[in-house]
Every structure is written in structure tokens, then in C-alpha cells.
Amino acid sequence: MALTLVVGNKNYSSWSMRPWLVLKKSGAAFEEVVIPLDRPETRAEIFKHSPSGFVPTLKDDELTIWESLAICEYLAEKFPDANLWPKDPSARAIARSVSNEMHSSFSALRTNMPMNVRGNLPGKGRAPGVQEDINRISAIWRDCRTRFGQNGPYLFGAFSIADAMYAPVASRFVTYQVDLDADAKAYVNTLWSDPAMAAWVEGARREPWVIEKSEL
């Protein structure tokens, strides 16, 4: 049985994007199930796959994993040759730290600048706290690139789970045309031009569904 990843709309579901990118980078074959969000039948459809009622969910034979970072960790262990975490212990510890900070923080940015891959919303979402989140994210990127990024264009040189965790933020910065310093802008361009990211964006652009509250 192939791996199956259940995701929400590619245009809006930032948490779905993360393990989808990691699974792509693992090189493993997988089936994809997309469940449109914010519809009357959404919750019931998700419960067919996930005990939490949320996406994403990864199925591997009888095993079900229903949380984004847990899925990424599982994939790193299942496909060690893909090097989904940095090999160096110090770099790996920082990669996990910044990934977990993304997982638990930046609520102002996430609330006021919802992911909308197809969107073009310059100047929107500038609520209190958003610029502070942008500043902290930019500082994380700058620190990781300076300390660990000498051997490639990603946060730790080669692509890692940390990059997948911040990919939806890069998408938001494109959508809302956020003013960034040169280093942060270069990193956004790296993620935006990544083949896996480009495939996700293309999928989002082909979707017919619209969630009005995310269109601002």
C-alpha cells in the first residue's frame, strides 16, 4: 500500500503544505486526497481519515498520523537517506527549534495574513503584532542562513523540514507583498522557485474552491 496524505485546499491549507513538501522531498510515491475546507461536509469527510477532525493526515498501512510536525518527523525516520533534518547535531537542534517556534508562534501573522497562494493582496493584513512576527521570522532566517547555510540556498544549506515549516510564510510574503530585507527576499525566492513548492502552487491555481474569509 502506498503512503496516503490527506490535505486541505492547496490554496489555503498551510499546515497541509508542510508535510506535502517533505513527502515530495523524501522521493517516496504517495497518494493524495484533497478535502475542500470550510464546506458543510468538510468535517465529516475529514473524520473519515483523521481522528482529530483536522488535516493533514498521513496513512501508512494501518498507521495514521494526524499532526503536521509529527508527520514530518515520521518521514525523516522512515526515509533517512533523504536527510530531511540536517546531519550535524548542532544544526539539527537549531532546525528543530525554529521548526517548533513556527509551529507554536506567529499568531498575529497567521490570523491576519491567511495563506492564499493565488491571492495578490498588497498592503492587507497589517494588524498589530504582524510586523513583530515578520521581524522575528526574518531574524530566524538570517541567523540560520549565516550559521548553517554555506552549502546551499536553504536555511541549513540543503532543504530540510525547517524549510517546509516556513514555506507557507514565504507564500504569505509573496501574496501580501511584504517588504523584506535582501537576505529574506532571497530566501523567499529560493522557496518560491523550489520544484516541489512550484508543484504545490500549480495545484493551488487549478483548484476551483474559494474560501471568502481568506480572500480579505
Side-chain angles (χ1 to χ4, degrees), residues 109 113 130-139 173 178 180:
L109 174 70
M113 291 184 174
V130 171
Q131 188 59 50
E132 287 81 357
D133 285 352
I134 293 169
N135 293 345
R136 173 56 186 156
I137 290 165
S138 297
F173 288 173
V178 173
L180 300 169

Side-chain angles (χ1 to χ4, degrees), residues 143-195:
D143 180 62
C144 292
R145 292 282 306 131
T146 300
R147 294 169 65 187
F148 305 108
Q150 291 80 13
N151 296 320
Y154 298 97
L155 292 179
F156 296 85
F159 185 95
S160 75
I161 289 169
D163 298 292
M165 291 299 292
Y166 284 90
V169 173
S171 173
R172 286 172 164 93
F173 288 173
V174 172
T175 296
Y176 297 93
Q177 296 184 24
V178 173
D179 187 24
L180 300 169
D181 62 40
D183 292 336
K185 190 177 296 184
Y187 178 61
V188 167
N189 290 338
T190 291
L191 287 177
W192 200 246
S193 62
D194 181 271

Side-chain angles (χ1 to χ4, degrees), residues 10-87:
K10 290 182 177 177
N11 194 53
Y12 305 108
S13 184
S14 59
W15 288 108
S16 296
M17 176 193 280
R18 294 175 168 110
W20 191 93
L21 291 175
V22 172
L23 194 46
K24 276 287 193 183
K25 292 294 185 176
S26 77
F30 68 98
E31 298 176 5
E32 176 187 300
V33 176
V34 179
I35 298 178
L37 303 177
D38 205 34
R39 297 162 68 94
E41 68 276 13
T42 296
R43 192 93 168 144
E45 289 299 312
I46 293 175
F47 269 122
K48 293 177 181 178
H49 304 278
S50 168
S52 70
F54 295 101
V55 289
T57 295
L58 179 71
K59 295 181 175 182
D60 187 3
D61 290 325
E62 299 302 314
L63 178 64
T64 298
I65 309 168
W66 60 88
E67 194 279 326
S68 292
L69 196 50
I71 293 170
C72 293
E73 289 280 13
Y74 177 74
L75 294 171
E77 293 179 357
K78 187 176 180 68
F79 303 107
D81 291 343
N83 297 317
L84 297 171
W85 286 120
K87 288 184 177 181

